[in-house]
Amino acid sequence: MNTNVKNEVIDLLKKYAINKKIFDHLPENPNIVNDLKINSARLVDIVIDVEEKFNIEIENEELKKLIYLNDIITLIEHKVKH
Amino acid sequence: MNNRRVVVTGMGVLSPIGADLNTFYDSLIWGRCGIKKIEDLVELQFGCQVGGRVELEKSPCYPYLETFLLSEASNVVKYAVVAGLEAWNNAQLPICETLDNEPDYDTGIITGSAIGTIDMYENKILPSIQNKTIRRLRSTTIEHSMLSAASANLANILGLANYIGFNSSACSTGAESIILGFEHIRQGLATRMLVGGVDIYTAAGWAGFDAMRVTTRMYNNQPLQASRPMSASASGFVPAEGCGMLVLEEYETAIRRGAPIYAEIVGGSLNSGGQRKGGTMTAPSAEGVIRCINAAIQESYVDVNEIDLIAGHLSSTMADVLEVQNWSTALHRKGKDFPYINSLKSLTGHCIGATGAIETIAAVLQLKEQFIHASIHCEDLHPDIEKIIADEKIPHQTKKNIPLHYIAKSSFGFGDTNAVLILKNIDYEYQREK
């Protein structure tokens, strides 16, 4: 897994968390809603940010599968390769 | 009906004469006018090119907008959040920045607006529809633009879990939200209510008033002279933006927690003249106004002669004469026997749906600090007003050290809506007992 991609995604996610202290001690693969306390509605914005940042397109179906940090990273790596 | 006592324990304000309570208070003392020429309105060829704007960045609570991820929200939300949090701080209540405090089932919120969140439509929603880029609208679009957005976001920040609502009744909106909160506590349904009104500057929001020619067009090059309530040369109101928020609290609860107590609200009345008998969509019926004043007085158990000051609606239009006449009729007082009367709009302009809340905050400060702020630009008092009341009852300059026991605050709005509040100096009953 690309550490740069991971850090960039974490930075994107951070924008949507009110309690930024959570990011000081992140679990290995945090659940976006439960662990990061990000409102589930914000996934739409996270997808827009990811699309713009990595110049990819994410389908609505794919959005529903984004539950953990690694889901986003895996999707980005898959899309960037293809 | 549970008649619990209701007091004001906190206030926050964002106004053309101050972006915080202290600056606002200083402006009241000094009679400082905050009306300016607005270059956008010149460019857009508005008839009225002056107005009252706020300086949001100067609010002590401005940094909270970033903390709580509200930088992209409607200004309605931003103004209400900074003024609401200032009021909350002012009431010595805690703000939990990590949002993991317990829900507060005893505290509710009512914020009102006459015009609403139309900046979101102007700047974000309509362009995205026109450009067919709806997919890129942010998920926060609704929560930053729904009519209850200000209440919902403040409730989110503070964990408020009692009644969370929105109200609107044109220019009586701000006073209405206070009365609704007051009644909610009085009925025993909540122990604390965060209440207030907000309206923001947008060209779209002000254009309709301009088209109606109800705003002044005579003072585009003399903005400081433009708002002239009770003056013979008043020629229409001066539009303004702002927000006033108050923490209302059940008296015993406030005493128990050692809260600052600014004033007691002893009565509030909301009604309409039914848009009949001289009342129309845009003009108040005298009968309706007088009934509203009488109802508020009756609820307060105050003698009409105990009202020391009327903090009028007085918006610098032809309706000022009718308002003074209505007060005179309702209170059976005239000439030198009339209470003092002033208009905050002479300093701020007309903050539309926020005006009743901002003016109530001014009234509470006057009651607490025992002064009467200047009602400027009516040295040429309207001759019909001069026939009703003595000129000395209008403070052309600030009057300090004036004993004030009760203040009556009125707001009137399109739709023939009326709101009257009676505020009491909390120390008065002890003075009376002595």
Side-chain angles (χ1 to χ4, degrees):
Chain A
M1 190 173 289
N2 188 326
T3 331
N4 282 344
V5 173
K6 184 175 181 180
N7 289 337
E8 282 174 311
V9 172
I10 288 173
D11 279 347
L12 289 181
L13 292 173
K14 218 175 195 172
K15 279 200 313 191
Y16 299 101
I18 287 177
N19 187 358
K20 312 257 189 260
K21 283 184 188 144
I22 289 175
F23 286 77
D24 295 344
H25 304 284
L26 277 186
E28 182 56 33
N29 181 22
N31 180 300
I32 299 162
V33 173
N34 297 337
D35 293 328
L36 303 181
K37 309 289 181 205
I38 292 174
N39 183 323
S40 59
R42 298 295 96 83
L43 273 170
V44 169
D45 308 294
I46 293 163
V47 161
I48 295 172
D49 290 347
V50 167
E51 286 182 330
E52 285 172 0
K53 180 109 197 162
F54 297 96
N55 198 23
I56 56 176
E57 266 190 41
I58 296 171
E59 305 299 327
N60 290 343
E61 283 307 307
E62 293 169 316
L63 187 152
K64 289 176 193 159
K65 293 176 193 155
L66 302 178
I67 295 159
Y68 291 91
L69 171 64
N70 287 352
D71 297 338
I72 303 178
I73 296 165
T74 311
L75 184 68
I76 293 168
E77 288 180 338
H78 176 75
K79 294 251 171 186
V80 170
K81 269 184 205 161
H82 295 85
Chain B
M1 174 100 176
N2 187 340
N3 273 338
R4 304 196 304 170
R5 295 174 67 186
V6 180
V7 290
V8 177
T9 58
M11 299 183 287
V13 69
L14 187 62
S15 81
I17 57 167
D20 64 279
L21 197 61
N22 287 336
T23 311
F24 180 75
Y25 172 69
D26 281 349
S27 294
L28 292 182
I29 292 284
W30 292 103
R32 208 179 281 144
C33 177
I35 295 161
K36 292 182 176 142
K37 183 138 186 151
I38 298 179
E39 291 306 325
D40 279 358
L41 300 180
V42 179
E43 176 68 26
L44 294 168
Q45 299 179 18
F46 269 59
C48 173
Q49 301 172 347
V50 298
R53 298 291 312 273
V54 303
E55 295 177 294
L56 174 65
E57 298 77 9
K58 289 195 177 168
S59 165
C61 293
Y62 180 70
Y64 282 126
L65 295 177
E66 197 183 331
T67 309
F68 297 116
L69 313 180
L70 292 170
S71 302
E72 297 296 316
S74 164
N75 272 346
V76 167
V77 176
K78 291 183 186 176
Y79 291 11
V81 165
V82 299
L85 295 182
E86 187 191 19
W88 198 256
N89 274 328
N90 186 242
Q92 297 177 11
L93 292 162
I95 295 171
C96 175
E97 291 190 23
T98 49
L99 307 189
D100 44 15
N101 52 329
E102 290 293 309
D104 179 355
Y105 292 108
D106 297 320
T107 304
I109 178 166
I110 302 171
T111 61
S113 177
I115 303 174
T117 53
I118 60 176
D119 54 335
M120 287 290 291
Y121 295 86
E122 264 186 288
N123 303 331
K124 292 186 177 149
I125 299 171
L126 290 176
S128 88
I129 292 171
Q130 279 149 7
N131 299 330
K132 301 191 169 72
T133 52
I134 296 164
R135 187 177 179 273
R136 307 202 88 71
L137 266 180
R138 293 282 158 167
S139 76
T140 45
T141 304
I142 296 295
E143 64 198 66
H144 289 169
S145 68
M146 59 189 185
L147 291 178
S148 59
S151 290
N153 281 283
L154 271 165
N156 172 256
I157 292 166
L158 300 171
L160 308 186
N162 197 278
Y163 176 67
I164 310 296
F166 170 82
N167 71 295
S168 189
S169 57
C171 301
S172 58
T173 297
E176 179 186 61
S177 64
I178 297 168
I179 293 172
L180 294 176
F182 160 71
E183 287 173 348
H184 202 65
I185 296 172
R186 250 197 170 189
Q187 288 170 26
L189 301 173
T191 54
R192 192 181 297 124
M193 293 293 290
L194 184 55
V195 295
V198 52
D199 260 316
I200 60 171
Y201 163 71
T202 62
W206 289 9
F209 295 113
D210 205 72
M212 285 181 84
R213 281 134 179 102
V214 290
T215 49
T216 181
R217 307 174 159 227
M218 308 285 285
Y219 298 92
N220 285 342
N221 294 316
Q222 299 160 281
L224 290 173
Q225 299 289 322
S227 188
R228 319 176 61 76
M230 297 186 279
S231 156
S233 48
S235 57
F237 77 80
V238 173
E241 61 173 354
C243 179
M245 296 292 295
L246 300 92
V247 177
L248 308 185
E249 204 158 339
E250 190 269 320
Y251 177 74
E252 298 294 337
T253 313
I255 291 288
R256 262 201 307 279
R257 73 175 183 90
I261 295 178
Y262 288 95
E264 180 173 359
I265 301 178
V266 287
S269 174
L270 297 166
N271 82 341
S272 166
Q275 303 182 46
R276 300 290 186 274
K277 291 183 144 183
T280 67
M281 180 61 77
T282 54
S285 133
E287 191 173 298
V289 169
I290 291 164
R291 288 174 71 100
C292 191
I293 295 169
N294 286 340
I297 300 254
Q298 206 172 2
E299 186 181 21
S300 311
Y301 295 104
V302 60
D303 184 305
V304 291
N305 293 308
E306 288 182 296
I307 304 279
D308 300 303
L309 171 67
I310 295 166
H313 182 70
L314 300 169
S315 57
S316 190
T317 68
M318 296 311 289
D320 295 353
V321 175
L322 180 63
E323 181 178 345
V324 173
Q325 180 60 59
N326 290 338
W327 277 108
S328 179
T329 308
L331 302 182
H332 309 288
R333 294 173 65 181
K334 59 183 180 179
K336 288 184 180 177
D337 180 46
F338 196 77
Y340 286 107
I341 184 165
N342 62 3
S343 170
L344 185 69
K345 292 182 186 75
S346 67
L347 307 178
T348 58
H350 188 342
C351 301
I352 322 284
T355 204
I358 294 174
E359 288 164 12
T360 299
I361 291 171
V364 169
L365 289 171
Q366 290 171 93
L367 204 52
K368 176 82 179 148
E369 302 299 332
Q370 301 283 282
F371 74 102
I372 302 177
H373 74 70
S375 200
I376 61 174
H377 301 142
C378 60
E379 290 79 8
D380 58 338
L381 189 60
H382 195 291
D384 292 340
I385 292 179
E386 210 164 4
K387 283 179 201 158
I388 309 165
I389 64 175
D391 184 73
E392 68 192 63
K393 304 317 285 190
I394 300 166
H396 298 287
Q397 269 117 35
T398 307
K399 286 186 180 290
K400 290 185 185 169
N401 303 317
I402 297 280
L404 296 175
H405 308 114
Y406 289 94
I407 297 182
K409 167 76 210 112
S410 54
S411 287
F412 309 111
F414 282 4
D416 195 6
T417 60
N418 308 314
V420 174
L421 272 162
I422 309 291
L423 303 163
K424 181 185 174 188
N425 181 340
I426 197 75
D427 300 324
Y428 182 39
E429 63 190 1
Y430 308 115
Q431 294 167 11
R432 197 155 53 171
E433 279 164 12
K434 274 178 196 168

